[in-house]
Amino acid sequence: MIGPVLPSAGALRPLGVDEVRLTDGFWAERVSRNAAATLPHCLHWIERTGWLRNFRLATAGGLDAGRQGREFSDSEIYKLAEAMAWETARSGTGVAGLDGIAEAVLAAQHADGYLNTRFGQPGQRPRYSDLEWGHELYCYGHLIQAGVAALRAGTAEAVGIAAIRVADHVSAEFGVDGRTGICGHPEIEPALVELYRVTGERRYLDQARLFVERRGRGSLADIALGRVYYQDDLPVRGRTVFAGHAVRELYLAAGAVDVAVETGDDKLLAAVIRQWERTVAARTYLTGGMGSRYDGESFGEDFELPPDGAYAETCAAVASVMLCWRLLLATGEGRFADLAERTLYNVVATSTALSGRAFFYANTLHQRVPGTLPDPDAPSPYPVGSVRAPWREVSCCPTNISRLLASLGGYVATTDDRGVQLHQFVGAEIRTGAVGLTVRTDYPWRGAVAVRVTEPGDGPWRLALRVPSWAGAATLVTPDGVRQVPAGGYAEVERHWRAGDEVCLELPMQARWTVPDPRIDAVRGSVAVERGPLVYCAESVEQAPVLSLDSVTVDPATTPVERPMPGLGPDAVGLDVPASVAVAPESEWPYGRAPVGERQPVGLALLPYHLRANRGPASMRVWLPTEPTGDAGAGR
Amino acid sequence: MIGPVLPSAGALRPLGVDEVRLTDGFWAERVSRNAAATLPHCLHWIERTGWLRNFRLATAGGLDAGRQGREFSDSEIYKLAEAMAWETARSGTGVAGLDGIAEAVLAAQHADGYLNTRFGQPGQRPRYSDLEWGHELYCYGHLIQAGVAALRAGTAEAVGIAAIRVADHVSAEFGVDGRTGICGHPEIEPALVELYRVTGERRYLDQARLFVERRGRGSLADIALGRVYYQDDLPVRGRTVFAGHAVRELYLAAGAVDVAVETGDDKLLAAVIRQWERTVAARTYLTGGMGSRYDGESFGEDFELPPDGAYAETCAAVASVMLCWRLLLATGEGRFADLAERTLYNVVATSTALSGRAFFYANTLHQRVPGTLPDPDAPSPYPVGSVRAPWREVSCCPTNISRLLASLGGYVATTDDRGVQLHQFVGAEIRTGAVGLTVRTDYPWRGAVAVRVTEPGDGPWRLALRVPSWAGAATLVTPDGVRQVPAGGYAEVERHWRAGDEVCLELPMQARWTVPDPRIDAVRGSVAVERGPLVYCAESVEQAPVLSLDSVTVDPATTPVERPMPGLGPDAVGLDVPASVAVAPESEWPYGRAPVGERQPVGLALLPYHLRANRGPASMRVWLPTEPTGDAGAGR
């Protein structure tokens, strides 16, 4: 089986990218565009920036003078190699550029397995001299994940060889008798466990467990952002909620789940689940985005979720999907697939332009000023922008999205001893053992998901379809009749199946107003609109000239009206809601009495959040203020 | 005359620290504590951290190995020297440690005037090789300001000599025929103009003007924060609002005003005033704090003023007071003194603990979690904390506060051809020319300000007392009778004065509810309480156990009740307001229907914001949510 996460234990067994073939619809289009546009785009940029050339310079011994890129640029090459390997497995055809990358990487590896273009050569700093910021083990993690993909896909042999050599090097260098350090950026932990799953080499699992257990004991330097930045403030088992740099935390949690599953460490698994629960209840954006602070790209405190300050990094969303999938496999609980769905549709799908060639790094929920288009011919120095950039000096997100999309078939469905579970609704052909299924759906635009059994397998088995928690109640049409199913679980049909049997899940797709918990101070007095799994937003470019997003209010007693948005896709659904605007008189000081401004009725056009910023710079908001209740003040 | 800002032109002429003697009350206590506690505290820490020793090492040629501190640590020595020089002038007695600092500084200066302990010596990077981050010219600015203070106070001659030598060096090195660069951190601009005012050397003014005009033309590198971070994105004349790093921007604006005033450049002055107006209308906290982003310690967009993300750096408040004073002197308009008052009482007074030995760097308006006490024996690596720290690795604020407090008498009163203007209400004895005045007041606790004429001078003249814009209307009791005066201007009495004549300004001191502009999204649905010039807040340590600041709401139709707070000062006024709390049922996901929680009435205790965090770690909020209007949602 070919898939990114293949645990040896757990409630559910994943189906691989060779078992779930995406055929059409929302994600199939994005997966195809990833192959056709994003992979060549990334290959172009890692050459253009010199980041791949660094490996050739390292091989030739000429690195000191000519090295390009930040300290973690090696990882971009590895993430792209991983994406290309999954794409090879998915499509069954070779991907241009992968062999060249594989050869360059292996050629640059030192005889003892060490591999990094930033450290350890004449004129460079010594190996492992800056564990806080050097990212050497972080880069290894991505190399090893690329190696896992290559080994499972049966391609790019050199990447697999380099990954095993680097894992052996790390196990010797950082093992129980070696250096006691950890990397400032977790990532190697899940990678080592997965390589153990491929190779059966127990020492990779042991090393991953060592790294998980060593963290949180203050071995890294204290810094202005605090040790919480790299999760070195508290041991993983002692944490109660995700904190610090969001990508670091989520990769670490994914690795901790992997270690827990493979070692039968139920307490460690339970600790991560508790952290996840509180994080989802108090530190997650409506979009599923995680990390509310620009400062340190980090989680905030509970209920610190400013829409305009939302960082919600694309890579944190990728990491969150990785974590959710591991937790789903371990527990079988649909809530993990719920968050994965929300994150996929509202952050992962948002980050990439419809062209497949420009990307958001941070995913704000409120864009106050339209901003400007970035230079299309130079890497943007900025992580934040109102419009997607083709590449950045810190360009972690494009390759991360790319590797997720190329392996997305591996995040859709599972089996257990009772049958097959469908967690994400995608047009697909699924084949596992003697069972074959076809999924047809226009989700997320329409609510019907039809599953037809093409090969019935032997004996009775149970087909389970997730009912998203947003759905309230859904309707399941079985081959025999109609049945209500509860919210937030799985709708199940167990029977002796025949070829041609069809089950249809119908999800309620009317738009809904969403009210935030009153403890989320930053959106008090505001509401959002959702429809199906999609969060909606208002963009300035679509509004009447009179309508400023700074002064618009809505009334959640009204009903949004659907409309097509042909410019953003044949099936895309927009929404219109009644609203009003007021022009408050300008004042010299913005505090005092409540302003009295006459309100004027207008129509407010909403679009799916993930389609924002495809029509040039625009202001935007997800949270819409409700009518103010008038002058609250008793005096100035 | 001895004062920090002595322009040769402008609407008003400042009175110096030798003309305004603070006698008693709010600021006199803080100025005394600055001398008794803060100056020795800072002297202790610049020795303990090795930052002063760097100068001795430079003199001995041993810097490379032993240098301590960040790239701008030299400036702390200069700011402390400046504070000590002003304190010498104010108190008329020498300040321990100043001579030692002065000698160490002068001894480390190169023969050509260059002076920096971080660059230019064997093993260090070359001079001016990192204008973006090196802070060499920034440090010069502080040295020159210390020199100005020393020259005017007639003390620490070596500092004055070093300052002139460094100004000569800069004028040669960066003049019209020299390097065309600017410093990543503005600060030298106002310093050079003030040295011109002391010495009459025109080339210092020319150099300041050159630096102001050169900025904003992209000569500094683009960075992740954008060139706006160091105001190199747009020329000063082309800016419409303050942006980027707040301290940098405000020092630059102060320097631009100085250049404009000395060169008669009304357009430049008008440009800065326009920027100030929009910044005050849209980018300033209720406290007067400026800089709403942790990220880059910077101004946000218009109305981006999150209370929990408020950076509102102490040094930005110092810089804002410096700028307001310059604008007041140039224009004579009370609005600049209004903002200075707000900033002095609610940021400058907040930053320092009642002990005078611990400081806030950032001044949040919402502390979500109580946090922990910092290590009293080590510099804190963190700029942000819930409790004041004795010192920080970046410790710009203590010495900045100290130099402002030591020269505070120079920010109180002015004269013009018609008389005397009192801008800040402090217990004081004022003497200018043949006129003597005594000011008695318990401000800001009580609203009466009594001014007695002790020496009447010759002929008729006008006494003007500022009526703060927060006051609405005030009452002025003249020697002859009673008169109403308008809000936001100056209450004036013109007459032939006799010794013993007394004027009393009575300001309305009932507490008031303050409503924010609806465009400030982050505090929608909330109100604040102010009394006189003071902003109030709620602190968890003062509340009933049932009361969580996360779930409290208030009703602005109620009336706050005053109460004494003897633990925080004999005159301190606290406020009690009726409130209610609700415990919302915990939910797994914080978005959906509005929660229905039963509300319970409680009393909420408020204290002046500047007195917060003097009783250990506590959660705190300035903006208080009003009663929610119930379930706004039509469905989940």
Side-chain angles (χ1 to χ4, degrees):
Chain A
M1 202 197 326
I2 304 173
V5 188
L6 303 182
S8 68
L12 305 174
R13 296 187 295 273
L15 300 189
V17 297
D18 51 334
E19 296 170 309
V20 179
R21 191 171 70 82
L22 275 56
T23 52
D24 64 308
F26 190 95
W27 287 110
E29 285 166 20
R30 280 165 173 76
V31 169
S32 297
R33 196 182 306 136
N34 183 54
T38 307
L39 291 180
H41 176 88
C42 292
L43 185 63
H44 166 80
W45 278 99
I46 64 166
E47 281 288 10
R48 178 167 171 169
T49 53
W51 300 351
L52 180 54
R53 181 169 165 268
N54 290 340
F55 288 85
R56 301 188 195 111
L57 289 177
T59 306
L63 249 186
D64 182 33
R67 189 183 183 282
Q68 299 291 319
R70 292 285 300 271
E71 58 274 27
F72 35 73
S73 68
D74 290 3
S75 69
E76 302 312 326
I77 281 67
Y78 304 144
K79 280 189 287 180
L80 182 56
E82 183 188 344
M84 290 173 159
W86 295 129
E87 178 58 24
T88 304
R90 186 192 73 81
S91 64
T93 61
V95 174
L98 177 55
D99 288 343
I101 291 174
E103 286 160 25
V105 166
L106 185 60
Q109 192 164 34
H110 297 217
D112 68 346
Y114 181 86
L115 178 50
N116 191 283
T117 68
R118 173 84 170 211
F119 290 89
Q121 297 220 16
Q124 296 185 319
R125 296 179 61 179
R127 296 177 179 189
Y128 308 125
S129 58
D130 182 11
L131 288 177
E132 282 79 7
W133 301 106
H135 285 74
E136 288 155 291
L137 300 177
Y138 165 84
C139 290
Y140 291 166
H142 282 300
L143 171 56
I144 292 168
Q145 288 178 332
V148 165
L151 289 164
R152 286 187 176 148
T155 187
E157 191 184 8
V159 176
I161 294 169
I164 288 174
R165 288 176 55 187
V166 95
D168 289 341
H169 164 76
V170 168
S171 302
E173 193 80 13
F174 287 86
V176 283
D177 302 324
R179 301 171 189 262
T180 57
I182 55 173
C183 184
H185 200 316
E187 153 62 20
I188 196 170
E189 295 82 356
L192 282 169
V193 177
E194 209 64 38
L195 190 61
Y196 156 73
R197 289 167 176 163
V198 174
T199 63
E201 282 288 354
R202 173 83 195 189
R203 66 180 181 281
Y204 303 153
L205 174 61
D206 292 341
Q207 187 62 44
R209 188 174 54 187
L210 255 184
F211 281 139
V212 169
E213 298 293 355
R214 275 181 193 160
R215 190 168 294 270
R217 300 175 199 282
S219 73
L220 300 172
D222 204 359
I223 53 176
L225 294 162
R227 284 201 179 92
V228 66
Y229 173 77
Y230 28 48
Q231 291 77 42
D232 200 31
D233 57 330
L234 289 171
V236 175
R237 294 171 193 276
R239 303 176 80 80
T240 56
V241 62
F242 294 154
H245 187 270
V247 178
R248 283 170 165 81
E249 174 69 291
L250 292 163
Y251 282 161
L252 175 63
V257 172
D258 286 335
V259 167
V261 165
E262 296 301 331
T263 62
D265 189 339
D266 293 343
K267 285 188 179 168
L268 181 58
L269 178 63
V272 175
I273 291 175
R274 278 197 310 274
Q275 294 160 24
W276 184 91
E277 287 171 342
R278 181 166 150 200
T279 301
V280 171
R283 299 188 176 190
T284 303
Y285 283 102
L286 182 61
T287 54
M290 289 187 175
S292 54
R293 293 182 178 174
Y294 282 31
D295 193 50
E297 310 186 313
S298 66
F299 288 97
E301 298 290 345
D302 287 357
F303 303 109
E304 181 187 335
L305 292 162
D308 55 352
Y311 205 73
E313 186 182 337
T314 298
C315 286
V318 171
S320 175
V321 171
M322 291 169 57
L323 174 61
C324 286
W325 184 242
R326 284 162 170 78
L327 290 170
L328 172 64
L329 296 180
T331 65
E333 296 172 16
R335 57 182 177 156
F336 301 113
D338 283 348
L339 186 69
E341 173 183 77
R342 183 174 287 275
T343 308
L344 284 166
Y345 281 106
N346 299 294
V347 191
V348 171
T350 307
S351 72
T352 310
L354 290 177
S355 70
R357 293 188 179 87
F359 309 87
F360 279 127
Y361 183 122
N363 295 279
T364 187
L365 275 70
H366 183 183
Q367 182 69 41
R368 290 177 176 276
V369 294
T372 52
L373 285 168
D375 184 344
D377 289 324
S380 168
Y382 319 126
V384 176
S386 67
V387 185
R388 299 170 185 86
W391 202 252
R392 299 180 194 277
E393 291 177 6
V394 177
S395 213
C396 43
C397 301
T399 54
N400 220 351
I401 287 285
S402 195
R403 67 179 184 137
L404 177 63
L405 288 179
S407 60
L408 194 68
Y411 291 88
V412 168
T414 55
T415 62
D416 63 5
D417 294 342
R418 299 180 305 178
V420 177
Q421 301 82 36
L422 186 67
H423 305 285
Q424 303 300 340
F425 307 128
V426 293
E429 290 177 1
I430 297 173
R431 181 175 302 264
T432 173
V435 170
L437 302 171
T438 301
V439 184
R440 286 178 300 118
T441 182
D442 291 325
Y443 197 80
W445 307 116
R446 303 296 156 200
V449 181
V451 182
R452 174 182 287 263
V453 174
T454 53
E455 299 189 37
D458 303 321
W461 55 272
R462 187 181 299 181
L463 175 64
L465 306 180
R466 181 174 60 93
V467 178
S469 59
W470 60 258
T475 306
L476 186 75
V477 184
T478 70
D480 301 324
V482 173
R483 187 153 69 87
Q484 280 298 118
V485 296
Y490 284 81
E492 299 177 330
V493 185
E494 183 162 357
R495 57 190 281 147
H496 277 276
W497 297 89
R498 288 175 302 186
D501 277 353
E502 189 163 298
V503 165
C504 188
L505 182 68
E506 291 175 358
L507 298 167
M509 298 303 280
Q510 65 270 29
R512 56 196 192 276
W513 296 100
T514 297
V515 179
D517 188 298
R519 290 169 292 186
I520 306 177
D521 294 284
V523 293
R524 178 172 290 110
S526 298
V527 293
V529 176
E530 297 179 275
R531 180 179 180 275
L534 300 182
V535 173
Y536 278 66
C537 69
E539 229 182 6
S540 59
V541 288
E542 205 177 0
Q543 314 301 335
V546 67
L547 195 155
S548 160
L549 293 183
D550 293 336
S551 64
V552 72
T553 60
V554 296
D555 177 359
T558 60
T559 302
V561 177
E562 296 186 9
R563 70 184 153 80
M565 304 193 77
L568 293 174
D571 303 317
V573 176
L575 296 170
D576 287 317
V577 296
S580 70
V581 291
V583 178
E586 287 303 317
S587 78
E588 294 177 3
W589 179 242
Y591 309 101
R593 290 181 184 280
V596 181
E598 200 159 317
R599 304 202 70 81
Q600 180 181 345
V602 291
L604 181 66
L606 305 178
L607 75 161
Y609 173 76
H610 74 269
L611 291 172
R612 73 173 281 248
N614 276 299
R615 290 171 297 186
S619 60
M620 180 278 299
R621 61 189 310 156
V622 166
W623 290 102
L624 306 168
T626 55
E627 287 288 340
T629 52
D631 187 343
R636 190 189 184 191
Chain B
M1 201 197 325
I2 304 173
V5 188
L6 303 182
S8 69
L12 304 175
R13 296 187 295 274
L15 300 189
V17 297
D18 50 334
E19 295 170 309
V20 179
R21 191 171 70 81
L22 275 55
T23 51
D24 65 308
F26 189 95
W27 288 109
E29 286 167 20
R30 279 164 174 76
V31 169
S32 297
R33 196 181 307 137
N34 183 53
T38 307
L39 291 181
H41 176 87
C42 292
L43 186 62
H44 165 81
W45 278 98
I46 63 166
E47 283 287 11
R48 176 166 171 169
T49 52
W51 299 352
L52 181 54
R53 181 168 166 268
N54 290 341
F55 288 84
R56 301 188 195 111
L57 289 177
T59 307
L63 250 186
D64 181 33
R67 190 183 183 282
Q68 299 292 319
R70 293 285 299 272
E71 58 274 27
F72 36 71
S73 68
D74 290 4
S75 69
E76 301 311 325
I77 280 67
Y78 304 145
K79 281 189 286 180
L80 181 57
E82 183 188 344
M84 288 173 161
W86 295 129
E87 178 57 26
T88 303
R90 186 192 74 81
S91 64
T93 60
V95 174
L98 177 55
D99 287 342
I101 291 174
E103 286 160 24
V105 167
L106 186 59
Q109 193 164 32
H110 297 217
D112 69 345
Y114 181 86
L115 177 50
N116 190 283
T117 69
R118 172 85 170 208
F119 291 88
Q121 297 221 15
Q124 295 185 319
R125 297 179 60 179
R127 296 177 179 189
Y128 309 125
S129 58
D130 182 12
L131 288 176
E132 281 80 6
W133 301 107
H135 285 76
E136 287 155 290
L137 300 176
Y138 166 83
C139 290
Y140 292 166
H142 281 300
L143 170 58
I144 292 167
Q145 288 177 333
V148 166
L151 289 165
R152 288 188 175 145
T155 186
E157 192 184 8
V159 175
I161 294 169
I164 288 173
R165 289 175 56 187
V166 94
D168 289 340
H169 163 77
V170 167
S171 302
E173 192 82 13
F174 286 86
V176 283
D177 302 323
R179 301 170 189 262
T180 58
I182 54 174
C183 184
H185 198 318
E187 152 64 21
I188 195 169
E189 295 82 357
L192 282 169
V193 177
E194 209 63 40
L195 189 63
Y196 156 73
R197 289 167 175 163
V198 174
T199 62
E201 283 287 355
R202 174 81 194 189
R203 66 181 181 281
Y204 304 152
L205 174 60
D206 293 341
Q207 187 62 43
R209 189 175 53 187
L210 256 184
F211 282 140
V212 168
E213 298 293 355
R214 274 180 195 162
R215 190 168 294 270
R217 301 176 198 283
S219 73
L220 299 173
D222 203 0
I223 52 176
L225 294 161
R227 285 200 178 91
V228 65
Y229 173 77
Y230 28 47
Q231 291 77 43
D232 200 30
D233 57 330
L234 289 171
V236 175
R237 294 170 191 278
R239 304 176 78 79
T240 57
V241 63
F242 295 154
H245 186 269
V247 177
R248 282 170 166 80
E249 174 70 291
L250 292 163
Y251 283 161
L252 175 63
V257 172
D258 287 335
V259 167
V261 165
E262 296 303 330
T263 62
D265 189 339
D266 292 343
K267 285 187 179 169
L268 181 58
L269 178 62
V272 175
I273 290 175
R274 277 197 310 274
Q275 294 160 24
W276 184 92
E277 286 171 343
R278 181 165 151 201
T279 302
V280 171
R283 298 187 177 189
T284 303
Y285 282 102
L286 181 62
T287 54
M290 290 187 175
S292 54
R293 292 183 179 173
Y294 281 31
D295 194 49
E297 310 187 314
S298 66
F299 288 97
E301 298 290 345
D302 287 358
F303 303 109
E304 181 188 335
L305 293 162
D308 55 351
Y311 205 74
E313 186 181 336
T314 298
C315 286
V318 171
S320 176
V321 171
M322 290 170 58
L323 174 61
C324 285
W325 185 241
R326 284 161 171 79
L327 291 169
L328 172 66
L329 296 179
T331 65
E333 296 172 16
R335 56 183 176 155
F336 301 112
D338 284 347
L339 186 69
E341 173 184 77
R342 185 174 286 276
T343 307
L344 284 167
Y345 281 107
N346 299 295
V347 191
V348 172
T350 307
S351 72
T352 310
L354 290 177
S355 69
R357 294 187 178 88
F359 310 87
F360 279 127
Y361 183 123
N363 295 279
T364 187
L365 274 71
H366 183 184
Q367 182 69 41
R368 291 176 176 276
V369 292
T372 52
L373 285 167
D375 183 344
D377 289 324
S380 168
Y382 320 127
V384 176
S386 67
V387 184
R388 298 169 185 88
W391 203 252
R392 299 181 194 275
E393 290 177 7
V394 178
S395 214
C396 43
C397 302
T399 55
N400 220 351
I401 287 285
S402 195
R403 69 182 184 136
L404 177 63
L405 289 179
S407 60
L408 195 69
Y411 291 88
V412 167
T414 57
T415 62
D416 64 6
D417 295 342
R418 300 181 304 178
V420 177
Q421 301 82 35
L422 186 66
H423 305 285
Q424 303 299 343
F425 307 128
V426 293
E429 290 177 1
I430 296 174
R431 181 174 301 262
T432 173
V435 170
L437 302 171
T438 301
V439 184
R440 287 177 299 119
T441 183
D442 291 326
Y443 197 79
W445 307 117
R446 304 295 157 201
V449 181
V451 181
R452 173 182 287 265
V453 174
T454 54
E455 300 189 39
D458 303 320
W461 54 273
R462 187 181 298 180
L463 175 64
L465 306 180
R466 182 176 59 94
V467 178
S469 58
W470 60 258
T475 305
L476 185 75
V477 185
T478 71
D480 300 324
V482 172
R483 188 154 68 88
Q484 281 298 117
V485 295
Y490 284 81
E492 299 177 332
V493 185
E494 182 160 358
R495 57 189 283 145
H496 277 276
W497 297 90
R498 289 176 302 187
D501 277 353
E502 187 164 299
V503 165
C504 188
L505 182 69
E506 292 175 359
L507 298 167
M509 298 302 279
Q510 65 272 29
R512 57 196 193 276
W513 296 99
T514 297
V515 178
D517 188 297
R519 288 169 294 185
I520 308 177
D521 294 283
V523 295
R524 178 172 289 110
S526 298
V527 293
V529 175
E530 296 181 275
R531 180 179 181 276
L534 302 182
V535 173
Y536 277 67
C537 69
E539 232 183 4
S540 58
V541 289
E542 206 178 359
Q543 313 301 336
V546 67
L547 196 154
S548 160
L549 294 182
D550 293 336
S551 63
V552 72
T553 60
V554 296
D555 177 359
T558 60
T559 302
V561 177
E562 296 186 8
R563 70 185 153 78
M565 304 192 75
L568 292 174
D571 302 318
V573 175
L575 296 169
D576 288 316
V577 296
S580 70
V581 291
V583 179
E586 287 304 316
S587 79
E588 294 176 2
W589 178 242
Y591 308 102
R593 289 180 184 281
V596 181
E598 201 159 318
R599 304 205 68 81
Q600 180 181 346
V602 292
L604 180 67
L606 304 179
L607 76 161
Y609 173 76
H610 74 268
L611 291 173
R612 84 178 199 88
N614 276 300
R615 290 171 297 186
S619 60
M620 181 276 301
R621 61 190 309 156
V622 166
W623 290 101
L624 306 169
T626 55
E627 288 287 341
T629 53
D631 186 343
R636 189 187 183 195

